Coordinates of all heavy atoms in Angstrom, one line a residue:
Chain B
D261 N -30.5 -83.2 -2.6 CA -30.2 -84.1 -1.6 C -31.6 -84.9 -1.2 O -32.5 -84.1 -0.8 CB -29.7 -83.4 -0.5 CG -29.1 -84.6 0.7 OD1 -30.0 -85.0 1.3 OD2 -27.8 -84.6 0.7
H262 N -31.6 -86.0 -1.4 CA -32.9 -86.8 -1.1 C -33.5 -86.5 0.3 O -34.7 -86.5 0.5 CB -32.9 -88.3 -1.5 CG -32.1 -89.2 -0.5 ND1 -30.7 -89.3 -0.6 CD2 -32.4 -89.9 0.5 CE1 -30.2 -90.0 0.3 NE2 -31.4 -90.3 1.0
R263 N -32.6 -86.6 1.3 CA -33.0 -86.4 2.7 C -33.6 -85.1 2.9 O -34.6 -84.9 3.5 CB -31.9 -86.7 3.7 CG -31.5 -88.0 3.8 CD -30.2 -88.0 4.5 NE -29.1 -87.2 4.0 CZ -28.0 -86.9 4.5 NH1 -27.6 -87.4 5.7 NH2 -27.1 -86.1 3.9
V264 N -32.9 -84.1 2.3 CA -33.4 -82.7 2.5 C -34.8 -82.6 1.8 O -35.6 -82.0 2.3 CB -32.5 -81.7 1.7 CG1 -32.9 -80.3 1.8 CG2 -31.0 -81.7 2.5
I265 N -35.0 -83.1 0.5 CA -36.1 -83.0 -0.2 C -37.4 -83.7 0.7 O -38.3 -83.0 0.9 CB -36.1 -83.7 -1.6 CG1 -35.2 -82.9 -2.4 CG2 -37.5 -83.8 -2.2 CD1 -34.6 -83.8 -3.7
E266 N -37.0 -84.9 1.3 CA -38.0 -85.5 2.1 C -38.4 -84.6 3.3 O -39.6 -84.5 3.5 CB -37.4 -86.8 2.5 CG -38.0 -88.1 2.1 CD -37.1 -89.3 2.5 OE1 -36.7 -89.4 3.6 OE2 -36.8 -89.9 1.4
S267 N -37.5 -84.2 4.0 CA -37.7 -83.6 5.2 C -38.2 -82.1 5.1 O -38.8 -81.6 6.0 CB -36.6 -83.7 6.2 OG -35.7 -82.5 5.9
Y268 N -37.8 -81.4 4.1 CA -38.1 -80.0 4.1 C -38.5 -79.4 2.7 O -39.6 -79.0 2.5 CB -36.8 -79.3 4.6 CG -37.1 -77.8 4.6 CD1 -38.1 -77.2 5.4 CD2 -36.3 -76.9 4.0 CE1 -38.4 -76.0 5.3 CE2 -36.5 -75.5 3.9 CZ -37.6 -75.2 4.8 OH -37.8 -73.7 4.6
L269 N -37.7 -79.6 1.9 CA -38.0 -78.9 0.5 C -39.2 -79.6 0.0 O -40.1 -78.8 -0.6 CB -36.8 -79.0 -0.5 CG -35.6 -78.3 0.0 CD1 -34.5 -78.5 -1.1 CD2 -35.9 -76.7 0.0
G270 N -39.3 -80.9 0.1 CA -40.6 -81.5 -0.4 C -41.9 -80.9 0.2 O -42.8 -80.5 -0.5
S271 N -41.9 -80.8 1.5 CA -42.9 -80.4 2.2 C -43.2 -78.9 1.9 O -44.4 -78.5 1.8 CB -42.9 -80.7 3.7 OG -41.8 -79.9 4.2
A272 N -42.1 -78.2 1.7 CA -42.3 -76.7 1.4 C -42.9 -76.5 0.1 O -43.6 -75.5 -0.1 CB -41.0 -76.0 1.6
R273 N -42.6 -77.4 -0.9 CA -43.2 -77.2 -2.3 C -44.6 -77.6 -2.2 O -45.3 -77.3 -3.2 CB -42.3 -78.1 -3.2 CG -41.1 -77.4 -3.6 CD -40.4 -78.3 -4.6 NE -39.0 -77.7 -4.8 CZ -38.0 -78.3 -5.2 NH1 -38.0 -79.7 -5.4 NH2 -36.8 -77.8 -5.3

Side-chain angles (χ1 to χ4, degrees):
Chain B
D261 189 286
H262 70 276
R263 285 169 310 169
V264 175
I265 294 169
E266 242 166 60
S267 84
Y268 181 55
L269 293 177
S271 64
R273 274 181 191 154

